[in-house]
Amino acid sequence: MDQIHHNSGRSAPEHRVADDTPDSLPDHQWIAVPGATYEGLFDALGLHHRIPCTLATGLAAAEHDSVDVTGPNGTRQTAYRVFVTPELDGWRLIYADSALTPTIWEFGATIERLSAACGQAQFFSQDEHSDSMIWAVAINGVLRRRYWRNETPEWTGEPMEWEAPLDDAPAEEDSPPHATAECDTNAAAWALSTVPEDVDAGTTLRGRGWLAVTRPDVSHTAFPGALRI
């Protein structure tokens, strides 16, 4: 059976960071990994200079998540900052918009690498303006299921047990293989882990968030804006 567990309820927080009540996180692009095994993500993504932060600070830092610097050999290089949320209803969300953009077409390889370190990883992306929808799941280093509205084929992998089938009407010969009715990113996130826009004061929050940098020779002070850790 797939090692995917629906978020089936909320309980009182075991720990909440002072002045850090979550309130509807960004839901345009994110990665989710299990809170119990998230530690492997830092090595898997090649992150450095990990520092703790509140949810509010991490979200503010994510708005300025790239900086151009002069490398040791004198060339201009880009460094990225990645925000890992506290555990939210059992899941850690990774926000790395600018870092993921150059490799958006290879997100499958990213979550495969993450799932090899964390057991599973999920990628979500949606853009209402372009009507783009992506959701994908990797388990133990292998891409298990993917839906991508703007890709051919739209579906990869066999349907998961929670996916609703298409209407009972006979399928056309040119219907996408393995298609189901689950085309919405937030709906898939609800079934697989947690939906960022649903995060609120009732969300179970554990631990602290983390900020990390993609280059070992670049510190957090290189990025714009002061950090209130």
Side-chain angles (χ1 to χ4, degrees):
M1 178 179 293
D2 297 321
Q3 297 178 15
I4 299 292
H5 306 285
H6 178 264
N7 176 18
S8 58
R10 292 174 174 174
S11 58
E14 290 187 1
H15 174 67
R16 187 176 297 284
V17 178
D19 301 321
D20 199 30
T21 301
D23 183 19
S24 186
L25 305 186
D27 67 347
H28 56 284
Q29 183 172 275
W30 73 98
I31 294 173
V33 297
T37 54
Y38 84 99
E39 288 283 354
L41 74 85
F42 297 98
D43 287 340
L45 293 178
L47 299 178
H48 308 271
H49 309 306
R50 165 180 164 179
I51 59 173
C53 69
T54 64
L55 187 58
T57 296
L59 291 174
E63 295 179 2
H64 306 283
D65 64 352
S66 66
V67 65
D68 291 330
V69 298
T70 301
N73 59 359
T75 61
R76 296 294 286 174
Q77 301 168 338
T78 301
Y80 301 101
R81 185 161 53 187
V82 173
F83 172 47
V84 180
T85 71
E87 184 176 319
L88 305 168
D89 283 344
W91 297 87
R92 295 267 184 166
L93 307 188
I94 304 170
Y95 287 99
D97 287 351
S98 296
L100 285 172
T101 297
T103 60
I104 185 63
W105 294 96
E106 302 172 2
F107 69 83
T110 299
I111 62 172
E112 284 183 328
R113 189 167 65 252
L114 276 168
S115 72
C118 303
Q120 73 171 271
Q122 305 158 10
F123 176 79
F124 304 95
S125 179
Q126 57 188 349
D127 185 343
E128 294 181 356
H129 298 290
S130 64
D131 195 33
S132 175
M133 291 279 181
I134 302 173
W135 62 264
V137 184
I139 301 175
N140 296 327
V142 178
L143 185 65
R144 167 64 178 81
R145 181 68 162 154
R146 187 215 72 188
Y147 171 75
W148 191 346
R149 180 170 294 173
N150 296 333
E151 181 70 350
T152 302
E154 293 180 52
W155 303 93
T156 297
E158 295 287 340
M160 308 190 80
E161 60 183 19
W162 54 267
E163 293 185 54
L166 292 173
D167 294 338
D168 293 333
E172 299 294 335
E173 291 184 1
D174 59 352
S175 294
H178 310 305
T180 68
E182 302 297 345
C183 301
D184 182 76
T185 298
N186 278 343
W190 184 87
L192 290 166
S193 50
T194 191
V195 182
E197 69 173 11
D198 287 348
V199 171
D200 56 26
T203 300
T204 299
L205 184 152
R206 297 184 180 90
R208 302 199 73 178
W210 299 96
L211 285 172
V213 181
T214 58
R215 294 187 59 85
D217 54 338
V218 177
S219 70
H220 290 276
T221 58
F223 293 84
L227 288 179
R228 183 173 173 231
I229 307 300

